[in-house]
Amino acid sequence: MLSLIATNPEVRLVVPPEAVAAAGPAEDRALLERCRAGDERAMQQLYTRHAGRLFALARRMTGSRADAEDVVQETFLRAWRSLDGFRGEAAVGTWLYRIALNRCRDAFARRRPTVPEVEGAAPPQAGDAMARRSLEAALGELPEGYREVLVLHDVMELEHPEIAAILGVEVGTSKSQLHKARSKMRELLAARGQAA
Amino acid sequence: MDDTRDTRCLVQASPEELSALLDGDLEPARAAELAAHLDRCPACCQIAAELGAVRGGLRALGDADRAEAAQARDLWADIRRERRREVRAERGEGQAWWRRYWLAPAGALLGAAAAALVLWLVFVPGPQTGRAPVEALTAVLDAERTYQLAIAGLEGSLAQPQAGYDSETQRTIRQGLADIDTVIERCREALRASPDDLGAHRAMLAAYQHKVDFLSDLVGEAL
């Protein structure tokens, strides 16, 4: 990094999600306008604010850290290329999620994971009811639409209005898909003998 | 566990409905009906518990994912480098002229200058000030000339708009270079007064080295 000018303390991969939520979409929108005006540091700030959540989404959807990094990089490159195409109908974060999800679909289609990697992450915490690896394997077996809504809601803990905006469906459809997906997960885990 | 419900169950709650109950997505009347039913129906109660375990397990996965994301590699430099490359390609510039004509020779010159400086510092140790031996002065002057040539090339390359920095960054870069140039100019003044002052030569080479490091960083970022 530049020894004299790259001392920007904002350069971190992850900003806590609650901090992004507190700052709100208005700040994202202002940053996006600065990006459109050619301000590279504004794009860097958008990256800093959203990269962590996008990485978490991509990690869960692709099952691979390397694929997740590719997804995050490609997401910001695509967003950067298409700044003028963003019409502001959705929040910037939603727009980024949508791009990332499309990249995840491509990555998942290229390499469908059976049992995702477990690499250097925090220790499994899902042991109360079922093993983490069984959960991950069952997620990988779900139909794409089910997996997406389940990850966005139960893993990423997004609300249905944002999920609906990301997936381009009605809120009711998002809820309906979620409950079908959760029910399917239960069946898959039962078939694996892992249900509580 | 299977998906059968208690056949004596008159309410006939589906797993989807029980999942919706967990999330509070049901109409209040239906939610109350199902809640009361769960008190009486062990089979539906078991299904609801399993669905709750699925939800809880996935949330725990989310916590682990967020912890992993906090340790993930910072990709910003890669993204910026790739975008700058795309922009140059979109402008039809291909490989910028300064990269074609300057980076390779400038890099070689910088390497030669650095080697000369290291050799001089190793083999001609001496006091920080005082009269310099002729050999040392010759080596210093050679290194200075090499640095100046390399710096001129790098400065020329970075003066081009293709460098792609925003205006604030460009101001910071200009200020950083100006500060280093001020030091170099002071050294020159000292050497004009005392051409063989070894301390002044040392200070000037150190300033050159600082400038070379700075410019090399900039070029590295621009690539």
Side-chain angles (χ1 to χ4, degrees), chain A residues 3 13 40-41 47 59-60 81 179 182 186 190, chain B residues 1 19 23 25 50 65 68 75 84 86 168:
Chain A
S3 54
L13 174 58
E40 196 175 76
R41 290 183 66 187
Y47 169 84
R59 176 70 177 83
R60 184 52 47 208
R81 289 179 204 130
H179 300 309
R182 205 182 273 154
R186 173 182 158 271
Chain B
M1 179 199 69
S19 172
D23 287 1
D25 285 342
E50 290 165 0
D65 289 348
E68 186 175 349
L75 303 168
R84 286 178 178 172
E86 287 178 352
E168 187 178 346

mmCIF file with all atom_site columns, all heavy atoms in Angstrom, chain A residues 3 13 40-41 47 59-60 81 179 182 186 190, chain B residues 1 19 23 25 50 65 68 75 84 86 168:
data_model
loop_
_atom_site.group_PDB
_atom_site.id
_atom_site.type_symbol
_atom_site.label_atom_id
_atom_site.label_alt_id
_atom_site.label_comp_id
_atom_site.label_asym_id
_atom_site.label_entity_id
_atom_site.label_seq_id
_atom_site.pdbx_PDB_ins_code
_atom_site.Cartn_x
_atom_site.Cartn_y
_atom_site.Cartn_z
_atom_site.occupancy
_atom_site.B_iso_or_equiv
_atom_site.pdbx_formal_charge
_atom_site.auth_seq_id
_atom_site.auth_comp_id
_atom_site.auth_asym_id
_atom_site.auth_atom_id
_atom_site.pdbx_PDB_model_num
ATOM 1   N N   . SER A 1 3   ? 2.794   4.160   1.106   1.00 0.00 ? 3   SER A N   1
ATOM 2   C CA  . SER A 1 3   ? 3.310   4.398   2.451   1.00 0.00 ? 3   SER A CA  1
ATOM 3   C C   . SER A 1 3   ? 2.856   5.732   3.006   1.00 0.00 ? 3   SER A C   1
ATOM 4   O O   . SER A 1 3   ? 2.706   5.889   4.209   1.00 0.00 ? 3   SER A O   1
ATOM 5   C CB  . SER A 1 3   ? 4.829   4.325   2.410   1.00 0.00 ? 3   SER A CB  1
ATOM 6   O OG  . SER A 1 3   ? 5.324   5.222   1.426   1.00 0.00 ? 3   SER A OG  1
ATOM 7   N N   . LEU A 1 13  ? -11.986 -4.652  5.998   1.00 0.00 ? 13  LEU A N   1
ATOM 8   C CA  . LEU A 1 13  ? -12.901 -5.436  5.177   1.00 0.00 ? 13  LEU A CA  1
ATOM 9   C C   . LEU A 1 13  ? -14.313 -5.361  5.725   1.00 0.00 ? 13  LEU A C   1
ATOM 10  O O   . LEU A 1 13  ? -15.278 -5.226  4.999   1.00 0.00 ? 13  LEU A O   1
ATOM 11  C CB  . LEU A 1 13  ? -12.446 -6.898  5.127   1.00 0.00 ? 13  LEU A CB  1
ATOM 12  C CG  . LEU A 1 13  ? -13.403 -7.851  4.401   1.00 0.00 ? 13  LEU A CG  1
ATOM 13  C CD1 . LEU A 1 13  ? -13.606 -7.366  2.976   1.00 0.00 ? 13  LEU A CD1 1
ATOM 14  C CD2 . LEU A 1 13  ? -12.882 -9.248  4.408   1.00 0.00 ? 13  LEU A CD2 1
ATOM 15  N N   . GLU A 1 40  ? -12.951 7.685   -6.200  1.00 0.00 ? 40  GLU A N   1
ATOM 16  C CA  . GLU A 1 40  ? -12.583 6.295   -5.947  1.00 0.00 ? 40  GLU A CA  1
ATOM 17  C C   . GLU A 1 40  ? -12.691 5.941   -4.465  1.00 0.00 ? 40  GLU A C   1
ATOM 18  O O   . GLU A 1 40  ? -13.004 4.805   -4.093  1.00 0.00 ? 40  GLU A O   1
ATOM 19  C CB  . GLU A 1 40  ? -11.151 6.082   -6.430  1.00 0.00 ? 40  GLU A CB  1
ATOM 20  C CG  . GLU A 1 40  ? -10.742 4.657   -6.598  1.00 0.00 ? 40  GLU A CG  1
ATOM 21  C CD  . GLU A 1 40  ? -9.363  4.548   -7.200  1.00 0.00 ? 40  GLU A CD  1
ATOM 22  O OE1 . GLU A 1 40  ? -8.382  4.778   -6.484  1.00 0.00 ? 40  GLU A OE1 1
ATOM 23  O OE2 . GLU A 1 40  ? -9.274  4.240   -8.398  1.00 0.00 ? 40  GLU A OE2 1
ATOM 24  N N   . ARG A 1 41  ? -12.416 6.904   -3.618  1.00 0.00 ? 41  ARG A N   1
ATOM 25  C CA  . ARG A 1 41  ? -12.462 6.617   -2.177  1.00 0.00 ? 41  ARG A CA  1
ATOM 26  C C   . ARG A 1 41  ? -13.890 6.342   -1.706  1.00 0.00 ? 41  ARG A C   1
ATOM 27  O O   . ARG A 1 41  ? -14.100 5.631   -0.730  1.00 0.00 ? 41  ARG A O   1
ATOM 28  C CB  . ARG A 1 41  ? -11.857 7.771   -1.386  1.00 0.00 ? 41  ARG A CB  1
ATOM 29  C CG  . ARG A 1 41  ? -10.348 7.870   -1.587  1.00 0.00 ? 41  ARG A CG  1
ATOM 30  C CD  . ARG A 1 41  ? -9.745  8.955   -0.753  1.00 0.00 ? 41  ARG A CD  1
ATOM 31  N NE  . ARG A 1 41  ? -9.836  8.674   0.670   1.00 0.00 ? 41  ARG A NE  1
ATOM 32  C CZ  . ARG A 1 41  ? -9.500  9.523   1.620   1.00 0.00 ? 41  ARG A CZ  1
ATOM 33  N NH1 . ARG A 1 41  ? -9.062  10.720  1.290   1.00 0.00 ? 41  ARG A NH1 1
ATOM 34  N NH2 . ARG A 1 41  ? -9.593  9.200   2.880   1.00 0.00 ? 41  ARG A NH2 1
ATOM 35  N N   . TYR A 1 47  ? -17.189 -0.420  -0.317  1.00 0.00 ? 47  TYR A N   1
ATOM 36  C CA  . TYR A 1 47  ? -16.593 -1.751  -0.141  1.00 0.00 ? 47  TYR A CA  1
ATOM 37  C C   . TYR A 1 47  ? -16.437 -2.055  1.348   1.00 0.00 ? 47  TYR A C   1
ATOM 38  O O   . TYR A 1 47  ? -16.809 -3.132  1.813   1.00 0.00 ? 47  TYR A O   1
ATOM 39  C CB  . TYR A 1 47  ? -15.236 -1.796  -0.855  1.00 0.00 ? 47  TYR A CB  1
ATOM 40  C CG  . TYR A 1 47  ? -14.425 -3.032  -0.504  1.00 0.00 ? 47  TYR A CG  1
ATOM 41  C CD1 . TYR A 1 47  ? -14.622 -4.233  -1.164  1.00 0.00 ? 47  TYR A CD1 1
ATOM 42  C CD2 . TYR A 1 47  ? -13.480 -2.990  0.518   1.00 0.00 ? 47  TYR A CD2 1
ATOM 43  C CE1 . TYR A 1 47  ? -13.903 -5.357  -0.816  1.00 0.00 ? 47  TYR A CE1 1
ATOM 44  C CE2 . TYR A 1 47  ? -12.756 -4.111  0.866   1.00 0.00 ? 47  TYR A CE2 1
ATOM 45  C CZ  . TYR A 1 47  ? -12.973 -5.292  0.196   1.00 0.00 ? 47  TYR A CZ  1
ATOM 46  O OH  . TYR A 1 47  ? -12.260 -6.409  0.543   1.00 0.00 ? 47  TYR A OH  1
ATOM 47  N N   . ARG A 1 59  ? -19.882 -16.924 0.990   1.00 0.00 ? 59  ARG A N   1
ATOM 48  C CA  . ARG A 1 59  ? -19.263 -18.091 1.639   1.00 0.00 ? 59  ARG A CA  1
ATOM 49  C C   . ARG A 1 59  ? -20.313 -19.178 1.861   1.00 0.00 ? 59  ARG A C   1
ATOM 50  O O   . ARG A 1 59  ? -20.064 -20.358 1.655   1.00 0.00 ? 59  ARG A O   1
ATOM 51  C CB  . ARG A 1 59  ? -18.648 -17.645 2.972   1.00 0.00 ? 59  ARG A CB  1
ATOM 52  C CG  . ARG A 1 59  ? -18.045 -18.755 3.807   1.00 0.00 ? 59  ARG A CG  1
ATOM 53  C CD  . ARG A 1 59  ? -16.773 -19.291 3.160   1.00 0.00 ? 59  ARG A CD  1
ATOM 54  N NE  . ARG A 1 59  ? -16.155 -20.304 4.004   1.00 0.00 ? 59  ARG A NE  1
ATOM 55  C CZ  . ARG A 1 59  ? -16.514 -21.580 4.036   1.00 0.00 ? 59  ARG A CZ  1
ATOM 56  N NH1 . ARG A 1 59  ? -17.490 -22.005 3.277   1.00 0.00 ? 59  ARG A NH1 1
ATOM 57  N NH2 . ARG A 1 59  ? -15.889 -22.432 4.817   1.00 0.00 ? 59  ARG A NH2 1
ATOM 58  N N   . ARG A 1 60  ? -21.481 -18.761 2.306   1.00 0.00 ? 60  ARG A N   1
ATOM 59  C CA  . ARG A 1 60  ? -22.534 -19.739 2.590   1.00 0.00 ? 60  ARG A CA  1
ATOM 60  C C   . ARG A 1 60  ? -23.139 -20.288 1.303   1.00 0.00 ? 60  ARG A C   1
ATOM 61  O O   . ARG A 1 60  ? -23.480 -21.456 1.202   1.00 0.00 ? 60  ARG A O   1
ATOM 62  C CB  . ARG A 1 60  ? -23.607 -19.068 3.455   1.00 0.00 ? 60  ARG A CB  1
ATOM 63  C CG  . ARG A 1 60  ? -24.719 -19.956 3.905   1.00 0.00 ? 60  ARG A CG  1
ATOM 64  C CD  . ARG A 1 60  ? -24.256 -21.216 4.584   1.00 0.00 ? 60  ARG A CD  1
ATOM 65  N NE  . ARG A 1 60  ? -23.225 -20.973 5.601   1.00 0.00 ? 60  ARG A NE  1
ATOM 66  C CZ  . ARG A 1 60  ? -22.311 -21.892 5.925   1.00 0.00 ? 60  ARG A CZ  1
ATOM 67  N NH1 . ARG A 1 60  ? -22.295 -23.071 5.339   1.00 0.00 ? 60  ARG A NH1 1
ATOM 68  N NH2 . ARG A 1 60  ? -21.392 -21.619 6.835   1.00 0.00 ? 60  ARG A NH2 1
ATOM 69  N N   . ARG A 1 81  ? -18.756 -0.905  -12.644 1.00 0.00 ? 81  ARG A N   1
ATOM 70  C CA  . ARG A 1 81  ? -18.997 -0.745  -14.080 1.00 0.00 ? 81  ARG A CA  1
ATOM 71  C C   . ARG A 1 81  ? -20.381 -0.182  -14.362 1.00 0.00 ? 81  ARG A C   1
ATOM 72  O O   . ARG A 1 81  ? -20.585 0.500   -15.364 1.00 0.00 ? 81  ARG A O   1
ATOM 73  C CB  . ARG A 1 81  ? -18.890 -2.101  -14.776 1.00 0.00 ? 81  ARG A CB  1
ATOM 74  C CG  . ARG A 1 81  ? -17.506 -2.671  -14.868 1.00 0.00 ? 81  ARG A CG  1
ATOM 75  C CD  . ARG A 1 81  ? -17.584 -4.038  -15.562 1.00 0.00 ? 81  ARG A CD  1
ATOM 76  N NE  . ARG A 1 81  ? -16.435 -4.861  -15.194 1.00 0.00 ? 81  ARG A NE  1
ATOM 77  C CZ  . ARG A 1 81  ? -16.517 -6.109  -14.750 1.00 0.00 ? 81  ARG A CZ  1
ATOM 78  N NH1 . ARG A 1 81  ? -17.711 -6.689  -14.611 1.00 0.00 ? 81  ARG A NH1 1
ATOM 79  N NH2 . ARG A 1 81  ? -15.431 -6.772  -14.446 1.00 0.00 ? 81  ARG A NH2 1
ATOM 80  N N   . HIS A 1 179 ? -40.802 -20.772 4.351   1.00 0.00 ? 179 HIS A N   1
ATOM 81  C CA  . HIS A 1 179 ? -41.370 -21.833 5.175   1.00 0.00 ? 179 HIS A CA  1
ATOM 82  C C   . HIS A 1 179 ? -41.333 -23.186 4.455   1.00 0.00 ? 179 HIS A C   1
ATOM 83  O O   . HIS A 1 179 ? -41.129 -24.224 5.083   1.00 0.00 ? 179 HIS A O   1
ATOM 84  C CB  . HIS A 1 179 ? -42.783 -21.446 5.618   1.00 0.00 ? 179 HIS A CB  1
ATOM 85  C CG  . HIS A 1 179 ? -42.773 -20.174 6.409   1.00 0.00 ? 179 HIS A CG  1
ATOM 86  N ND1 . HIS A 1 179 ? -41.935 -19.977 7.474   1.00 0.00 ? 179 HIS A ND1 1
ATOM 87  C CD2 . HIS A 1 179 ? -43.473 -19.007 6.266   1.00 0.00 ? 179 HIS A CD2 1
ATOM 88  C CE1 . HIS A 1 179 ? -42.120 -18.761 7.965   1.00 0.00 ? 179 HIS A CE1 1
ATOM 89  N NE2 . HIS A 1 179 ? -43.050 -18.158 7.246   1.00 0.00 ? 179 HIS A NE2 1
ATOM 90  N N   . ARG A 1 182 ? -37.607 -24.216 4.793   1.00 0.00 ? 182 ARG A N   1
ATOM 91  C CA  . ARG A 1 182 ? -37.272 -24.706 6.137   1.00 0.00 ? 182 ARG A CA  1
ATOM 92  C C   . ARG A 1 182 ? -37.856 -26.115 6.345   1.00 0.00 ? 182 ARG A C   1
ATOM 93  O O   . ARG A 1 182 ? -37.216 -26.988 6.938   1.00 0.00 ? 182 ARG A O   1
ATOM 94  C CB  . ARG A 1 182 ? -37.820 -23.735 7.174   1.00 0.00 ? 182 ARG A CB  1
ATOM 95  C CG  . ARG A 1 182 ? -37.055 -23.774 8.482   1.00 0.00 ? 182 ARG A CG  1
ATOM 96  C CD  . ARG A 1 182 ? -37.680 -22.826 9.479   1.00 0.00 ? 182 ARG A CD  1
ATOM 97  N NE  . ARG A 1 182 ? -37.186 -21.464 9.385   1.00 0.00 ? 182 ARG A NE  1
ATOM 98  C CZ  . ARG A 1 182 ? -37.884 -20.395 9.763   1.00 0.00 ? 182 ARG A CZ  1
ATOM 99  N NH1 . ARG A 1 182 ? -39.122 -20.525 10.214  1.00 0.00 ? 182 ARG A NH1 1
ATOM 100 N NH2 . ARG A 1 182 ? -37.355 -19.195 9.694   1.00 0.00 ? 182 ARG A NH2 1
ATOM 101 N N   . ARG A 1 186 ? -35.801 -29.644 7.008   1.00 0.00 ? 186 ARG A N   1
ATOM 102 C CA  . ARG A 1 186 ? -36.134 -30.595 8.080   1.00 0.00 ? 186 ARG A CA  1
ATOM 103 C C   . ARG A 1 186 ? -36.221 -32.013 7.517   1.00 0.00 ? 186 ARG A C   1
ATOM 104 O O   . ARG A 1 186 ? -35.707 -32.960 8.104   1.00 0.00 ? 186 ARG A O   1
ATOM 105 C CB  . ARG A 1 186 ? -37.451 -30.172 8.735   1.00 0.00 ? 186 ARG A CB  1
ATOM 106 C CG  . ARG A 1 186 ? -37.983 -31.172 9.747   1.00 0.00 ? 186 ARG A CG  1
ATOM 107 C CD  . ARG A 1 186 ? -39.315 -30.735 10.333  1.00 0.00 ? 186 ARG A CD  1
ATOM 108 N NE  . ARG A 1 186 ? -40.016 -31.903 10.849  1.00 0.00 ? 186 ARG A NE  1
ATOM 109 C CZ  . ARG A 1 186 ? -40.848 -32.665 10.147  1.00 0.00 ? 186 ARG A CZ  1
ATOM 110 N NH1 . ARG A 1 186 ? -41.110 -32.368 8.872   1.00 0.00 ? 186 ARG A NH1 1
ATOM 111 N NH2 . ARG A 1 186 ? -41.426 -33.715 10.681  1.00 0.00 ? 186 ARG A NH2 1
ATOM 112 N N   . ALA A 1 190 ? -33.802 -35.073 8.357   1.00 0.00 ? 190 ALA A N   1
ATOM 113 C CA  . ALA A 1 190 ? -34.396 -36.314 8.876   1.00 0.00 ? 190 ALA A CA  1
ATOM 114 C C   . ALA A 1 190 ? -33.875 -37.507 8.092   1.00 0.00 ? 190 ALA A C   1
ATOM 115 O O   . ALA A 1 190 ? -33.548 -38.558 8.660   1.00 0.00 ? 190 ALA A O   1
ATOM 116 C CB  . ALA A 1 190 ? -35.916 -36.230 8.765   1.00 0.00 ? 190 ALA A CB  1
ATOM 117 N N   . MET B 2 1   ? -37.709 -39.646 12.749  1.00 0.00 ? 1   MET B N   1
ATOM 118 C CA  . MET B 2 1   ? -38.712 -38.607 12.506  1.00 0.00 ? 1   MET B CA  1
ATOM 119 C C   . MET B 2 1   ? -39.217 -38.695 11.074  1.00 0.00 ? 1   MET B C   1
ATOM 120 O O   . MET B 2 1   ? -38.456 -38.885 10.154  1.00 0.00 ? 1   MET B O   1
ATOM 121 C CB  . MET B 2 1   ? -38.067 -37.231 12.724  1.00 0.00 ? 1   MET B CB  1
ATOM 122 C CG  . MET B 2 1   ? -39.010 -36.106 12.463  1.00 0.00 ? 1   MET B CG  1
ATOM 123 S SD  . MET B 2 1   ? -38.082 -34.592 12.203  1.00 0.00 ? 1   MET B SD  1
ATOM 124 C CE  . MET B 2 1   ? -37.342 -34.980 10.632  1.00 0.00 ? 1   MET B CE  1
ATOM 125 N N   . SER B 2 19  ? -43.805 -23.569 10.619  1.00 0.00 ? 19  SER B N   1
ATOM 126 C CA  . SER B 2 19  ? -42.650 -22.687 10.418  1.00 0.00 ? 19  SER B CA  1
ATOM 127 C C   . SER B 2 19  ? -43.096 -21.228 10.457  1.00 0.00 ? 19  SER B C   1
ATOM 128 O O   . SER B 2 19  ? -42.428 -20.384 11.077  1.00 0.00 ? 19  SER B O   1
ATOM 129 C CB  . SER B 2 19  ? -41.989 -23.007 9.071   1.00 0.00 ? 19  SER B CB  1
ATOM 130 O OG  . SER B 2 19  ? -40.997 -22.065 8.769   1.00 0.00 ? 19  SER B OG  1
ATOM 131 N N   . ASP B 2 23  ? -42.149 -17.922 13.123  1.00 0.00 ? 23  ASP B N   1
ATOM 132 C CA  . ASP B 2 23  ? -41.671 -16.586 12.748  1.00 0.00 ? 23  ASP B CA  1
ATOM 133 C C   . ASP B 2 23  ? -42.709 -15.502 12.993  1.00 0.00 ? 23  ASP B C   1
ATOM 134 O O   . ASP B 2 23  ? -42.451 -14.324 12.714  1.00 0.00 ? 23  ASP B O   1
ATOM 135 C CB  . ASP B 2 23  ? -41.308 -16.570 11.246  1.00 0.00 ? 23  ASP B CB  1
ATOM 136 C CG  . ASP B 2 23  ? -40.013 -17.319 10.969  1.00 0.00 ? 23  ASP B CG  1
ATOM 137 O OD1 . ASP B 2 23  ? -39.425 -17.849 11.932  1.00 0.00 ? 23  ASP B OD1 1
ATOM 138 O OD2 . ASP B 2 23  ? -39.587 -17.363 9.796   1.00 0.00 ? 23  ASP B OD2 1
ATOM 139 N N   . ASP B 2 25  ? -45.537 -15.253 11.375  1.00 0.00 ? 25  ASP B N   1
ATOM 140 C CA  . ASP B 2 25  ? -46.052 -14.838 10.068  1.00 0.00 ? 25  ASP B CA  1
ATOM 141 C C   . ASP B 2 25  ? -47.523 -15.215 9.845   1.00 0.00 ? 25  ASP B C   1
ATOM 142 O O   . ASP B 2 25  ? -48.061 -14.961 8.764   1.00 0.00 ? 25  ASP B O   1
ATOM 143 C CB  . ASP B 2 25  ? -45.210 -15.489 8.955   1.00 0.00 ? 25  ASP B CB  1
ATOM 144 C CG  . ASP B 2 25  ? -43.850 -14.823 8.810   1.00 0.00 ? 25  ASP B CG  1
ATOM 145 O OD1 . ASP B 2 25  ? -43.699 -13.682 9.303   1.00 0.00 ? 25  ASP B OD1 1
ATOM 146 O OD2 . ASP B 2 25  ? -42.953 -15.441 8.220   1.00 0.00 ? 25  ASP B OD2 1
ATOM 147 N N   . GLU B 2 50  ? -38.451 -29.351 15.665  1.00 0.00 ? 50  GLU B N   1
ATOM 148 C CA  . GLU B 2 50  ? -37.421 -29.615 14.655  1.00 0.00 ? 50  GLU B CA  1
ATOM 149 C C   . GLU B 2 50  ? -37.228 -28.425 13.729  1.00 0.00 ? 50  GLU B C   1
ATOM 150 O O   . GLU B 2 50  ? -36.106 -28.083 13.358  1.00 0.00 ? 50  GLU B O   1
ATOM 151 C CB  . GLU B 2 50  ? -37.808 -30.868 13.862  1.00 0.00 ? 50  GLU B CB  1
ATOM 152 C CG  . GLU B 2 50  ? -37.690 -32.142 14.699  1.00 0.00 ? 50  GLU B CG  1
ATOM 153 C CD  . GLU B 2 50  ? -38.402 -33.328 14.081  1.00 0.00 ? 50  GLU B CD  1
ATOM 154 O OE1 . GLU B 2 50  ? -39.007 -33.177 12.995  1.00 0.00 ? 50  GLU B OE1 1
ATOM 155 O OE2 . GLU B 2 50  ? -38.367 -34.405 14.694  1.00 0.00 ? 50  GLU B OE2 1
ATOM 156 N N   . ASP B 2 65  ? -20.233 -17.558 9.985   1.00 0.00 ? 65  ASP B N   1
ATOM 157 C CA  . ASP B 2 65  ? -19.873 -16.914 8.715   1.00 0.00 ? 65  ASP B CA  1
ATOM 158 C C   . ASP B 2 65  ? -19.413 -15.477 8.946   1.00 0.00 ? 65  ASP B C   1
ATOM 159 O O   . ASP B 2 65  ? -18.463 -15.003 8.320   1.00 0.00 ? 65  ASP B O   1
ATOM 160 C CB  . ASP B 2 65  ? -21.076 -16.905 7.769   1.00 0.00 ? 65  ASP B CB  1
ATOM 161 C CG  . ASP B 2 65  ? -21.396 -18.294 7.246   1.00 0.00 ? 65  ASP B CG  1
ATOM 162 O OD1 . ASP B 2 65  ? -20.564 -19.205 7.421   1.00 0.00 ? 65  ASP B OD1 1
ATOM 163 O OD2 . ASP B 2 65  ? -22.491 -18.465 6.679   1.00 0.00 ? 65  ASP B OD2 1
ATOM 164 N N   . GLU B 2 68  ? -15.984 -15.462 10.284  1.00 0.00 ? 68  GLU B N   1
ATOM 165 C CA  . GLU B 2 68  ? -15.011 -15.753 9.224   1.00 0.00 ? 68  GLU B CA  1
ATOM 166 C C   . GLU B 2 68  ? -14.826 -14.542 8.315   1.00 0.00 ? 68  GLU B C   1
ATOM 167 O O   . GLU B 2 68  ? -13.709 -14.233 7.891   1.00 0.00 ? 68  GLU B O   1
ATOM 168 C CB  . GLU B 2 68  ? -15.475 -16.958 8.401   1.00 0.00 ? 68  GLU B CB  1
ATOM 169 C CG  . GLU B 2 68  ? -14.440 -17.390 7.374   1.00 0.00 ? 68  GLU B CG  1
ATOM 170 C CD  . GLU B 2 68  ? -14.851 -18.659 6.639   1.00 0.00 ? 68  GLU B CD  1
ATOM 171 O OE1 . GLU B 2 68  ? -15.826 -19.314 7.071   1.00 0.00 ? 68  GLU B OE1 1
ATOM 172 O OE2 . GLU B 2 68  ? -14.196 -18.991 5.646   1.00 0.00 ? 68  GLU B OE2 1
ATOM 173 N N   . LEU B 2 75  ? -9.832  -7.258  -0.159  1.00 0.00 ? 75  LEU B N   1
ATOM 174 C CA  . LEU B 2 75  ? -9.750  -7.394  -1.611  1.00 0.00 ? 75  LEU B CA  1
ATOM 175 C C   . LEU B 2 75  ? -9.711  -6.053  -2.328  1.00 0.00 ? 75  LEU B C   1
ATOM 176 O O   . LEU B 2 75  ? -9.696  -6.011  -3.560  1.00 0.00 ? 75  LEU B O   1
ATOM 177 C CB  . LEU B 2 75  ? -10.971 -8.188  -2.109  1.00 0.00 ? 75  LEU B CB  1
ATOM 178 C CG  . LEU B 2 75  ? -11.140 -9.579  -1.493  1.00 0.00 ? 75  LEU B CG  1
ATOM 179 C CD1 . LEU B 2 75  ? -12.519 -10.134 -1.827  1.00 0.00 ? 75  LEU B CD1 1
ATOM 180 C CD2 . LEU B 2 75  ? -10.060 -10.515 -1.985  1.00 0.00 ? 75  LEU B CD2 1
ATOM 181 N N   . ARG B 2 84  ? -9.028  -0.154  -12.659 1.00 0.00 ? 84  ARG B N   1
ATOM 182 C CA  . ARG B 2 84  ? -8.176  0.790   -13.397 1.00 0.00 ? 84  ARG B CA  1
ATOM 183 C C   . ARG B 2 84  ? -7.733  0.191   -14.728 1.00 0.00 ? 84  ARG B C   1
ATOM 184 O O   . ARG B 2 84  ? -7.664  0.874   -15.742 1.00 0.00 ? 84  ARG B O   1
ATOM 185 C CB  . ARG B 2 84  ? -6.962  1.164   -12.553 1.00 0.00 ? 84  ARG B CB  1
ATOM 186 C CG  . ARG B 2 84  ? -7.310  2.110   -11.425 1.00 0.00 ? 84  ARG B CG  1
ATOM 187 C CD  . ARG B 2 84  ? -6.086  2.403   -10.581 1.00 0.00 ? 84  ARG B CD  1
ATOM 188 N NE  . ARG B 2 84  ? -6.414  3.345   -9.522  1.00 0.00 ? 84  ARG B NE  1
ATOM 189 C CZ  . ARG B 2 84  ? -5.588  3.675   -8.545  1.00 0.00 ? 84  ARG B CZ  1
ATOM 190 N NH1 . ARG B 2 84  ? -4.390  3.135   -8.485  1.00 0.00 ? 84  ARG B NH1 1
ATOM 191 N NH2 . ARG B 2 84  ? -5.950  4.540   -7.628  1.00 0.00 ? 84  ARG B NH2 1
ATOM 192 N N   . GLU B 2 86  ? -9.421  -1.988  -16.427 1.00 0.00 ? 86  GLU B N   1
ATOM 193 C CA  . GLU B 2 86  ? -10.596 -1.966  -17.300 1.00 0.00 ? 86  GLU B CA  1
ATOM 194 C C   . GLU B 2 86  ? -10.804 -0.581  -17.902 1.00 0.00 ? 86  GLU B C   1
ATOM 195 O O   . GLU B 2 86  ? -11.120 -0.453  -19.089 1.00 0.00 ? 86  GLU B O   1
ATOM 196 C CB  . GLU B 2 86  ? -11.845 -2.364  -16.505 1.00 0.00 ? 86  GLU B CB  1
ATOM 197 C CG  . GLU B 2 86  ? -11.927 -3.831  -16.150 1.00 0.00 ? 86  GLU B CG  1
ATOM 198 C CD  . GLU B 2 86  ? -13.167 -4.153  -15.319 1.00 0.00 ? 86  GLU B CD  1
ATOM 199 O OE1 . GLU B 2 86  ? -13.880 -3.213  -14.904 1.00 0.00 ? 86  GLU B OE1 1
ATOM 200 O OE2 . GLU B 2 86  ? -13.399 -5.340  -15.080 1.00 0.00 ? 86  GLU B OE2 1
ATOM 201 N N   . GLU B 2 168 ? -8.561  14.317  -4.581  1.00 0.00 ? 168 GLU B N   1
ATOM 202 C CA  . GLU B 2 168 ? -8.015  14.445  -3.229  1.00 0.00 ? 168 GLU B CA  1
ATOM 203 C C   . GLU B 2 168 ? -6.716  13.660  -3.095  1.00 0.00 ? 168 GLU B C   1
ATOM 204 O O   . GLU B 2 168 ? -5.730  14.135  -2.518  1.00 0.00 ? 168 GLU B O   1
ATOM 205 C CB  . GLU B 2 168 ? -9.039  13.933  -2.211  1.00 0.00 ? 168 GLU B CB  1
ATOM 206 C CG  . GLU B 2 168 ? -8.612  14.184  -0.772  1.00 0.00 ? 168 GLU B CG  1
ATOM 207 C CD  . GLU B 2 168 ? -9.674  13.696  0.220   1.00 0.00 ? 168 GLU B CD  1
ATOM 208 O OE1 . GLU B 2 168 ? -10.815 13.416  -0.216  1.00 0.00 ? 168 GLU B OE1 1
ATOM 209 O OE2 . GLU B 2 168 ? -9.339  13.599  1.393   1.00 0.00 ? 168 GLU B OE2 1
#
